Amino acid sequence: MLRHAVTFLVLSACLGAQTPATPPKPEPDVLIFADGERLVGHLLRAHGSTVTFKSDALGEINVDWSKIQELHSSQTFAILEKKIKLNRHSDTSKVPQGTITMTKQAVTVTPPAGPPQTLPVAEAAHVIDVPSFEKDILHNPGFLEGWNGAVTAGASFVEATQNSRTLTTGIHMVRAIPTENWLNARDRTSFNFMVSDGVVTQPKIPTIKTNIIHGDIERDQYFPETRFFAFGQAAFDHNYSQGLDLQQNYGGGLGWTAVKRSNTTLDFKGSVSFTRQQFSIPGNDHNLIGSVFAQNYSHKFGKGILFLEQVSATPAWNEAHAYAAAGNASLTVPVYKRLAFSIATVDSFLNDPPPGFKKNSFQLTTGLTYTLK
């Protein structure tokens, strides 16, 4: 009996030794305001003078460095000075990395090995957690990585003297490298697809049909250490309401990101393009050499509300009367997790449509949007 008990104890000790110990939960970070108020939670990041801290009680908040008396974090961060410009080919060995403490408007970085380093908060351009820093700087994502976007769908049905149905759907995808907005942009790929299809029927009355399809793809390549980029693009349009069977546009040019902030982006672009227009009425087709001048704007409000706007003008140099223009705007309001309510307007103008068709086409759509990432 004693022998069995000893054997049991030995086996239990061996099993216990082989069971991996649960890693200790990291100590919470502490932020102390200038007035002495204290917050407990986790430091997320800091860009410029703005510190983002997730409080256990208040959630995610933004605080200016000047309003902070002390900040203590047991997490490891990388501190990027304003004078340092980084890209994926940069030597990151000299970037201070470690746990951080801020007192008297100075940040002290304590690495796992080596002496601490201290610099004024005014010289700290970015404070990034080490895993994100390594992912953004050292990792070169494949083409299937880094995509963000949303899928939108809406529908309307009426059964009465008139029977009508309207279906709308759209896909918007963007891949910006690097993925973090604080780094200099390297390249950007965007893809958009939109369909609006509707029909109204009534006995002894001709059927009224609406069918609008748009698709485009664009690739932007930024010049090193600047906000200027070269781009190539292709766009395809079909609009039954304007007698347009298919419009193909291929072009390339230069662009400039005039505003680039964490919540706002503004681009201006100009290109030389070839446009092939095919209409439902023979003899109205065009082969056009022209340009596309465009402006893209996006702004993210609080609580995840997103506004997007785009305007473009397309003059034709070989047939001056065949110019075109387009504009669209959308507002997306989160509802539940990745689901959001969206409202959008799309306006297209053709100065030279076939006889019997209006020059302008306007649509207003609402629907549900699912954010892919």
Side-chain angles (χ1 to χ4, degrees):
M1 189 72 178
L2 180 59
R3 184 178 60 184
H4 291 167
V6 172
T7 303
F8 176 77
L9 291 174
V10 171
L11 289 174
S12 299
C14 292
L15 290 174
Q18 293 175 1
T19 302
T22 303
K25 190 175 181 180
E27 291 292 325
D29 301 338
V30 178
L31 185 151
I32 303 175
F33 288 94
D35 60 3
E37 184 180 352
R38 178 189 182 100
L39 288 181
V40 176
H42 293 283
L43 172 65
L44 299 181
R45 71 192 75 89
H47 295 303
S49 63
T50 303
V51 179
T52 303
F53 190 88
K54 188 173 183 179
S55 165
D56 295 340
L58 302 177
E60 189 171 312
I61 62 171
N62 292 319
V63 186
D64 194 273
W65 276 120
S66 62
K67 297 180 180 180
I68 300 175
Q69 177 180 315
E70 293 184 31
L71 176 61
H72 304 274
S73 175
S74 60
Q75 305 175 78
T76 55
F77 288 86
I79 312 296
L80 280 72
E81 299 180 61
K82 290 182 177 180
K83 62 183 179 182
I84 297 178
K85 303 296 182 182
L86 290 180
N87 56 51
R88 59 177 175 155
H89 303 295
S90 300
D91 179 12
T92 61
S93 61
K94 296 182 180 180
V95 175
Q97 299 181 43
T99 59
I100 66 170
T101 299
M102 191 283 276
T103 57
K104 299 180 180 180
Q105 293 299 297
V107 180
T108 299
V109 185
T110 305
Q117 301 180 55
T118 301
L119 69 154
V121 294
E123 298 300 322
H126 306 283
V127 179
I128 308 293
D129 64 278
V130 169
S132 297
F133 174 73
E134 292 177 346
K135 175 178 175 290
D136 297 329
I137 298 295
L138 304 179
H139 177 58
N140 186 26
F143 183 75
L144 297 180
E145 298 179 75
W147 286 96
N148 292 292
V151 177
T152 301
S156 173
F157 299 93
V158 175
E159 294 285 342
T161 303
Q162 294 177 327
N163 299 325
S164 70
R165 65 162 178 81
T166 303
L167 302 174
T168 60
T169 186
I171 301 174
H172 172 69
M173 301 292 294
V174 177
R175 177 183 183 267
I177 303 299
T179 56
E180 289 294 331
N181 199 52
W182 59 272
L183 288 167
N184 289 324
R186 194 178 87 205
D187 61 67
R188 179 174 56 192
T189 306
S190 62
F191 169 76
N192 298 286
F193 181 74
M194 184 273 293
V195 176
S196 179
D197 185 83
V199 63
V200 178
T201 61
Q202 183 176 340
K204 301 180 181 181
I205 299 295
T207 298
I208 300 174
K209 180 181 178 182
T210 301
N211 186 248
I212 301 173
I213 303 174
H214 171 81
D216 67 73
I217 186 169
E218 180 177 320
R219 168 73 173 195
D220 305 331
Q221 193 71 40
Y222 280 83
F223 298 105
E225 306 298 332
T226 74
R227 291 186 178 181
F228 292 94
F229 58 91
F231 70 92
Q233 63 180 5
F236 306 90
D237 288 277
H238 166 78
N239 194 323
Y240 180 86
S241 301
Q242 291 181 299
L244 180 65
D245 278 347
L246 178 63
Q247 176 175 281
Q248 306 172 62
N249 182 284
Y250 307 94
L254 297 175
W256 172 48
T257 300
V259 177
K260 182 188 177 187
R261 293 195 289 266
S262 59
N263 62 342
T264 305
T265 303
L266 175 63
D267 290 344
F268 294 98
K269 299 182 291 184
S271 68
V272 176
S273 63
F274 168 77
T275 302
R276 169 64 176 168
Q277 292 179 334
Q278 297 171 274
F279 292 95
S280 57
I281 298 178
N284 288 270
D285 296 352
H286 297 298
N287 291 318
L288 306 174
I289 303 297
S291 295
V292 178
F293 300 102
Q295 168 259 310
N296 293 351
Y297 175 78
S298 69
H299 181 78
K300 182 175 288 187
F301 297 92
K303 301 185 182 302
I305 299 173
L306 178 63
F307 175 74
L308 300 174
E309 176 263 338
Q310 180 181 25
V311 177
S312 66
T314 309
W317 306 124
N318 61 327
E319 295 187 41
H321 59 90
Y323 60 86
N328 62 74
S330 66
L331 184 68
T332 304
V333 181
V335 176
Y336 178 73
K337 292 186 178 181
R338 294 192 177 188
L339 285 177
F341 170 78
S342 65
I343 180 170
T345 62
V346 179
D347 194 296
S348 62
F349 177 87
L350 293 176
N351 188 60
D352 193 28
F357 290 91
K358 286 188 174 182
K359 296 182 178 182
N360 199 69
S361 171
F362 175 82
Q363 57 180 319
L364 172 68
T365 61
T366 60
L368 282 178
T369 296
Y370 180 78
T371 302
L372 300 177
K373 187 177 180 181

